[in-house]
Amino acid sequence: MTRPEPALSVVVPMFNEESVLPLFARRLRAVLDALDEPYEVLAVDDGSTDGTAAGLAGLRARWPQLRVLRLRRNSGHQAALVAGVLRARGRHVVSIDADLQDPPETIAEMLRRARADGLDIVYGVRADRSRDTRFKRWTAAGYYRLMRRLVGKQVPAQAGDFRLLSRAAVEALRELPERSPVLRLVVPWLGFPSGEVAYEREERAAGRTKYPLSRMAGLAAESVTSFSAAPLRVATWLGLAGVAVCGMLVVVAVVAWLAGGTVTGWPSLYVAILFLGAVQLLCLGLLGEYVARIYTAVQARPAYFVATDTDTDTDTDTDTDTDTVPAPEAGPAPAGPVGPAELADSLR
């Protein structure tokens, strides 16, 4: 039997979050219960290898609004996020991470703003990142500057994956044929009426970050190559620059020969060869990135496989949603198992 459509769905991608799960569930439930309207929490277990699955099962015993979507394998944060957003049933859908760096209390303000101003998208914007490391703040600022320059100023600065979407915006995402969606860029591109809610970014409540430097670099590369052809133009300009430098070297060589001052000249030849080789390899590398994306799209492999969905209580392994996202990610599993009973007690 189909359940009535909730007013709000909260999508939470999770990978090895057993240590922070009790704290997150307690804070989130307090916020959502205070709204006094139907809601669902869609926790997407992205192939966790610790006690996250058992913890979610324990929470469901005392939290009927909790829905668990378990992926067959670890498919990455963006894949889990897309899986949850596209399967959410609410008239409004909020996505939030489980690490409590984005405060659940902001959800109520986002929902009020969307309804009061008739907005389809409300971004959670990090107004204060003083609790992040200096390196994290510097790299994040560089990322958003680059994205706004490549994509346009419709990309809000300091807005991650903490956002609210209307049902119309979710359906628009569902219709996109793109196989590698980076929601931070695709959602602003939709052009729906949008607003912002500022909040202070907190420290991770427990566990370890699932986004080290390597994954942040991967997200940046995926964002650039999936939403802009600018790197190809950079390759063209580098090629033109190489041709210009070589032309000048030819003129210098001819003038030196006419002046009778020619020498062996191995340093200039050595530098020229290195320069041209570097430019050629860089251009080939940039072209290769785009060819790889075409190859991935032609393969048409599903981004994730859904193992179970407690909303239907059936095995949905045959469901092979085709929204393709960055390559599978893995992360360290925090120590300290928390059993289902302890998690259930945290909601009493």
Side-chain angles (χ1 to χ4, degrees), residues 85-346:
V85 169
L86 296 185
R87 287 171 173 271
R89 298 183 294 109
R91 293 191 294 274
H92 289 91
V93 179
V94 173
S95 57
I96 185 173
D97 290 335
D99 55 15
L100 291 177
Q101 289 189 286
D102 302 328
E105 292 77 13
T106 308
I107 293 176
E109 184 179 354
M110 296 169 78
L111 188 59
R112 284 194 298 267
R113 178 80 191 277
R115 290 172 173 172
D117 299 339
L119 302 176
D120 287 292
I121 305 170
V122 179
Y123 300 101
V125 176
R126 301 152 181 171
D128 182 4
R129 303 191 63 157
S130 58
R131 297 186 181 182
D132 288 339
T133 64
R134 182 176 300 178
F135 179 76
K136 176 71 173 179
R137 294 196 300 268
W138 180 80
T139 53
Y143 171 81
Y144 289 112
R145 256 195 317 271
L146 177 61
M147 293 304 104
R148 287 167 66 87
R149 187 173 183 83
L150 293 178
V151 181
K153 293 188 177 180
Q154 69 268 26
V155 177
Q158 301 300 329
D161 290 316
F162 185 28
R163 68 176 73 85
L164 177 144
L165 302 173
S166 68
R167 173 50 49 185
V170 172
E171 293 304 318
L173 287 174
R174 192 188 304 278
E175 294 176 7
L176 291 178
E178 185 176 358
R179 302 197 57 81
S180 299
V182 178
L183 295 186
R184 297 187 187 193
L185 305 182
V186 172
V187 170
W189 175 86
L190 293 175
F192 283 82
S194 62
E196 299 178 357
V197 171
Y199 66 94
E200 293 185 7
R201 187 163 171 81
E202 303 176 6
E203 295 180 357
R204 174 176 257 277
R208 299 175 60 182
T209 180
K210 308 304 185 297
Y211 254 91
L213 178 60
S214 59
R215 290 194 188 172
M216 289 189 292
L219 176 63
E222 183 72 19
S223 300
V224 172
T225 56
S226 67
F227 223 85
S228 175
L232 294 177
R233 299 189 184 99
V234 170
T236 301
W237 285 108
L238 286 174
L240 292 175
V243 171
V245 171
C246 289
M248 289 187 293
L249 289 175
V250 169
V251 172
V252 170
V254 171
V255 171
W257 178 73
L258 292 175
T262 56
V263 293
T264 305
W266 69 267
S268 59
L269 181 62
Y270 180 70
V271 171
I273 292 175
L274 286 180
F275 177 76
L276 288 176
V279 170
Q280 290 173 348
L281 289 175
L282 178 61
C283 295
L284 287 174
L286 292 174
L287 290 171
E289 287 292 329
Y290 285 89
V291 171
R293 294 185 64 81
I294 296 173
Y295 175 69
T296 301
V298 170
Q299 285 181 315
R301 292 176 180 173
Y304 52 84
F305 291 90
V306 176
T308 56
D309 184 349
T310 56
D311 190 48
T312 58
D313 290 325
T314 57
D315 192 323
T316 56
D317 189 43
T318 55
D319 185 343
T320 55
D321 294 4
T322 56
D323 304 275
T324 303
V325 294
E329 301 173 325
V338 179
E342 289 82 357
L343 288 174
D345 290 340
S346 68

